[in-house]
Amino acid sequence: MRRSADVDELERVLCAALGSAEPVCSVAQLLPEADTFGAPGPSALDPAALKRPTLVAAGAPYGPTGPAPSPYAVDELVRRAGALDVPQILVPRVRRGEDTGALRAAGFVPVAAGHECVVRLSGEVDALLRDRVGAGQLRDLRRRHRAVSQDVTWERIPLSELDGKPWARRAFVELHQRSAERHRGQENLYNAEALDALARGALAERTEIFVRRRKNAVVQAGLLTVSHNGRGLYYLTQAVAHDDPAAPRNLYVASLYRLYLHARRSGLDWVHLGEGDADRMRRLGADLFVPLDHWLRAPAPAAARDRAAPGDGERERERAGQGERAAEERAPSRFAAPPVATVPAPGPVRFRHRPRFDLVDLSSNTNPYLGTASHYPELDTAELARTYLSTLAKLPGHEGVGALSTDHLLFTSGAVDGVMALLMALTSPGERVCVTPPTFELYAHFAHVLRLPVVEAPLRGDDLCGLDTERILAADARVTLLCDPGNPVGTRLDRARVRELVERSRGLVVIDEAYVEFSETPSYAGLTGEHDNLIVLRTLSKAWGLASARCGVALAHPGIIEALRRVQVPFGFTNASQRAVRNRLTNSRPVLAAVRRIRAERDHMAATLAQHPAVERVFPSEANFLLVRLHEHERVMDHLRGAGILVADTARLVPGTCRLSIGTRRANNALLAALSSVGTGPGSPGPAGPGRAR
């Protein structure tokens, strides 16, 4: 919980559970996952630390996370431990990205602790879950809910009324005691004393006990607490009767679904599920995953003390793939423009790893009376970045992507936003930008807007895919922009020449891979971890079918990503776009199937158009479009417009051509029919289009 009064209250409850005046116990007693603390790796701890008497800070063992302690609070913890003669201190479940400088300075060591998982309720529950987990998983949730609800009741009892329901109190304590016994000696934090302390304290007015009964037997009991900002619900705990026919998974899943319905009807925005496995919780509807660390101050071994030096633990976790450094700690690339290198990231960007869902946010000057649309978009997209990278790594031709961390990725408002951002962040007045026409026109357009000289190194060969490496290198450009597959042609560049350019160039090489999913030639995305002068731009507008979501991706060295953050508009990636991207990435089968259909339709159209009398040439393509040279370009284009068919006129880039996007079979047949009615030879008048004079 995010305010000190709640944290202090939960500490009082913890003391009641332990039967002591101070929250002192062993780590192994307190946390069920404690046996993993000694696993090999950078955060491995002395096994003796698991059994040593430990002063436990705050009440975070109960589920919700508290804020990272201030320097004053850390000093007070150290003082208390000394007065109690307790050799070890544990600050459990601190959100990664919070200011942990005081903990480091006092010798605390971070230990990865998984994620806290949140279900954000942005609309009708079934529609939301269908998009988030898929229709099949939603059917399973609803089936379990119906099966359980047939003979198991659902009751919520305010803690203030618990004295009048002794059966509920008794059942809650008994079920949690059995749960603790199944966890091999874990302390029961929800014994009778703890429950009574909670019912007598300040949290009682916001907390309910829920019970589910089959006839007169209680088969599940748990606690729900409304957040102090009134916007969400903490699912503090639950225990089930494992000998019940519906236990354990059916009861848990059915109760979660019931809880979502209850929270939405109550006008709440989110349900906090506590700590859990991100993949499992995602299947249950969670869409916000905040990485956590336990922080431990132990007297030994020396290796642990060495790791507590500022920055060391963070770098070790980064190498181990366990987390990312906070934005304010990262230095920009050597390629950053001097003004960008000397200014900090804007305030909202610096704090992007600090979720606001459970805070009273009075910092943003927005209208509080018009619902969730008045809230600024979430800036912490680390979990979404992990989802993107893991999805990409599974696709053919994406070797090396799995080795990238979220520090290598920035979401942009479409790939074109990435082009503008990188030119702003990585160039200075007078530095050259090299483009390779025919290519995407906005590259040169943005460069001209920023008053950067543009040098051209035209593509060569009949297929317009020959890269003039020597001419590009001779230009000595600060930034070279390549489009691969090319737009408007659709061909791929020679891979050996591209790699040679990256390795020999003194400047930055940017590869726009907007159409790469339609190609069988590998992506360059994985190489961004090997070259600090390589930037790969991707988009979800094309193959992923999310043009309206405006989501682009920049992949590059972390220092380059940091430079881009410093010039990017902080809130350009909306919550609606984030939800659409997350849902699409976690349900990629339809995307891959659609890509296969587009490839097949592209090949069919290429073969058909190549035989058409109105077409002079069809260029080879590894994209979702075809570049076609027409015999009578202007007359054909005029006829297509009259037939209500819109294609891209690319004659100014490649004389006599147009670019045809691959549509559905019906749309493609309409195009072929319109072309067939143009006429078959030079000078043919062709039939009049609809509505035109004869």
Side-chain angles (χ1 to χ4, degrees):
M1 295 182 179
R2 309 309 292 174
R3 65 176 184 176
S4 57
D6 292 345
V7 170
D8 293 342
E9 182 65 16
L10 288 178
E11 182 175 310
R12 188 179 67 81
V13 175
L14 178 58
C15 289
L18 298 173
S20 63
E22 295 284 352
V24 176
C25 65
S26 72
V27 174
Q29 279 181 287
L30 194 66
L31 301 172
E33 78 279 13
D35 56 353
T36 66
F37 282 17
S43 295
L45 300 178
D46 182 354
L50 304 180
K51 301 178 181 179
R52 189 178 291 129
T54 303
L55 175 64
V56 182
Y62 285 92
T65 61
S70 66
Y72 171 81
V74 172
D75 290 344
E76 177 62 16
L77 278 173
V78 174
R79 186 200 64 76
R80 286 173 65 189
L84 294 168
D85 195 25
V86 175
Q88 188 164 277
I89 307 172
L90 176 70
V91 180
R93 297 188 177 99
V94 176
R95 288 176 180 170
R96 196 171 298 167
E98 297 215 346
D99 185 358
T100 55
L103 290 169
R104 292 188 183 282
F108 284 77
V109 176
V111 182
H115 296 80
E116 60 176 324
C117 307
V118 181
V119 178
R120 289 181 287 190
L121 303 172
S122 54
E124 193 271 327
V125 170
D126 280 3
L128 179 150
L129 291 176
R130 185 180 296 108
D131 288 341
R132 197 170 292 170
V133 303
Q137 179 69 3
L138 172 60
R139 285 194 298 271
D140 182 64
L141 290 172
R142 289 171 57 88
R143 178 183 61 80
R144 293 174 189 270
H145 172 62
R146 286 194 302 269
V148 169
S149 298
Q150 286 176 358
D151 60 350
V152 178
T153 64
W154 167 273
E155 303 168 65
R156 302 197 318 275
I157 305 167
L159 281 191
S160 59
E161 301 175 10
L162 194 57
D163 287 343
K165 308 275 186 176
W167 60 267
R169 176 184 181 277
R170 182 170 56 253
F172 178 93
V173 171
E174 289 176 357
L175 288 176
H176 279 81
Q177 181 59 40
R178 293 181 207 166
S179 178
E181 290 168 355
R182 281 193 299 272
H183 282 96
R184 296 174 297 168
Q186 179 194 352
E187 193 74 28
N188 179 12
L189 301 182
Y190 288 102
N191 55 27
E193 293 75 16
L195 188 59
D196 290 343
L198 190 60
R200 292 192 299 267
L203 289 174
E205 63 184 23
R206 305 198 326 251
T207 304
E208 295 178 324
I209 185 173
F210 75 89
V211 293
R212 307 207 73 171
R213 288 194 286 179
R214 188 187 305 278
K215 297 182 180 178
N216 292 323
V218 175
V219 296
Q220 184 181 24
L223 287 175
L224 308 172
T225 296
V226 176
S227 62
H228 80 281
N229 66 359
R231 289 180 51 201
L233 198 64
Y234 295 111
Y235 189 77
L236 288 185
T237 181
Q238 65 91 30
V240 298
H242 277 252
D243 55 351
D244 184 82
R249 176 166 170 79
N250 278 358
L251 272 172
Y252 175 65
V253 172
S255 295
L256 282 185
Y257 180 76
R258 180 67 176 263
L259 188 59
Y260 301 159
L261 296 175
H262 158 67
R264 191 60 190 163
R265 282 195 298 266
S266 301
L268 300 178
D269 298 335
W270 50 266
V271 175
H272 188 289
L273 301 183
E275 186 182 346
D277 175 71
D279 290 336
R280 175 170 176 260
M281 291 300 191
R282 185 181 288 109
R283 293 193 294 272
L284 296 175
D287 69 328
L288 177 62
F289 306 90
V290 185
L292 305 175
D293 292 313
H294 301 304
W295 286 81
L296 191 73
R297 186 177 190 263
R305 289 196 299 272
D306 291 343
R307 283 194 298 274
D312 288 353
E314 202 72 50
R315 285 189 290 271
E316 289 187 358
R317 286 190 290 118
E318 187 175 10
R319 286 194 294 270
Q322 295 174 335
E324 295 76 34
R325 297 173 65 194
E328 56 267 34
E329 296 177 350
R330 189 182 302 117
S333 164
R334 63 188 175 95
F335 291 102
V340 174
T342 56
V343 298
V349 177
R350 287 203 304 278
F351 306 124
R352 69 185 185 279
H353 290 310
R354 303 181 189 180
R356 300 183 178 189
F357 68 94
D358 53 0
L359 296 174
V360 174
D361 187 359
L362 300 178
S363 67
S364 302
N365 302 337
T366 57
N367 188 330
Y369 296 107
L370 297 178
T372 56
S374 67
H375 303 151
Y376 276 115
E378 298 285 343
L379 283 178
D380 183 12
T381 55
E383 175 60 25
L384 185 58
R386 275 186 283 271
T387 301
Y388 179 80
L389 290 172
S390 64
T391 302
L392 214 63
K394 298 173 186 175
L395 301 180
H398 287 79
E399 290 73 17
V401 171
L404 303 180
S405 77
T406 61
D407 285 340
H408 291 84
L409 185 152
L410 179 71
F411 288 109
T412 62
S413 182
V416 290
D417 178 49
V419 174
M420 188 65 164
L422 70 89
L423 290 177
M424 291 174 60
L426 305 172
T427 63
S428 296
E431 291 182 325
R432 290 181 289 276
V433 173
C434 183
V435 297
T436 59
T439 190
F440 188 46
E441 293 178 288
L442 284 183
Y443 301 154
H445 172 79
F446 287 149
H448 288 309
V449 167
L450 295 173
R451 300 180 182 178
L452 300 170
V454 176
V455 179
E456 294 186 349
L459 296 173
R460 300 185 298 187
D462 291 341
D463 294 339
L464 297 175
C465 61
L467 195 63
D468 193 340
T469 309
E470 295 304 324
R471 185 168 180 172
I472 295 173
L473 290 171
D476 195 23
R478 176 69 167 186
V479 176
T480 298
L481 289 151
L482 307 178
C483 194
D484 189 29
N487 179 12
V489 183
T491 47
R492 293 299 303 263
L493 302 173
D494 182 84
R495 192 169 181 83
R497 287 184 175 272
V498 172
R499 293 201 64 159
E500 178 189 7
L501 179 62
V502 173
E503 291 167 358
R504 293 177 58 191
S505 179
R506 295 197 306 167
L508 290 155
V509 177
V510 181
I511 304 177
D512 184 348
E513 291 189 339
Y515 302 96
V516 75
E517 290 90 347
F518 301 104
S519 171
E520 296 184 1
T521 304
S523 163
Y524 294 96
L527 297 180
T528 57
E530 302 174 17
H531 302 280
D532 71 346
N533 68 329
L534 174 63
I535 304 173
V536 171
L537 300 179
R538 304 285 291 251
T539 183
L540 278 85
S541 296
K542 309 301 182 184
W544 294 90
L546 290 176
S548 64
R550 305 309 304 135
C551 178
V553 177
L555 298 166
H557 184 273
I560 288 178
I561 297 299
E562 175 61 20
L564 299 183
R565 290 188 199 281
R566 297 188 182 195
V567 302
Q568 187 182 41
V569 176
F571 299 109
F573 191 22
T574 69
N575 282 343
S577 294
Q578 292 179 41
R579 287 193 294 271
V581 170
R582 183 181 295 105
N583 296 341
R584 190 58 53 86
L585 291 174
T586 55
N587 186 26
S588 60
R589 287 185 180 180
V591 174
L592 301 181
V595 167
R596 289 192 292 270
R597 292 181 66 182
I598 289 172
R599 286 177 177 174
E601 195 68 15
R602 177 191 67 197
D603 295 343
H604 164 73
M605 287 291 289
T608 303
L609 288 168
Q611 304 301 318
H612 200 285
V615 174
E616 178 182 334
R617 185 187 178 200
V618 179
F619 287 77
S621 174
E622 293 192 49
N624 66 335
F625 56 81
L626 294 169
L627 185 69
V628 176
R629 179 173 284 129
L630 303 167
H631 283 298
E632 298 180 73
H633 172 266
E634 291 185 9
R635 187 165 68 88
V636 172
M637 292 297 295
D638 184 60
H639 183 73
L640 291 179
R641 283 191 290 269
I645 295 175
L646 180 65
V647 300
D649 188 345
T650 52
R652 64 193 179 283
L653 301 175
V654 182
T657 65
C658 67
R659 191 193 65 201
L660 313 174
S661 297
I662 302 302
T664 63
R665 177 58 65 94
R666 180 176 181 175
N668 295 335
N669 285 342
L671 170 70
L672 294 173
L675 282 177
S676 295
S677 64
V678 172
T680 59
S684 300
R692 297 175 64 187
R694 293 183 180 273

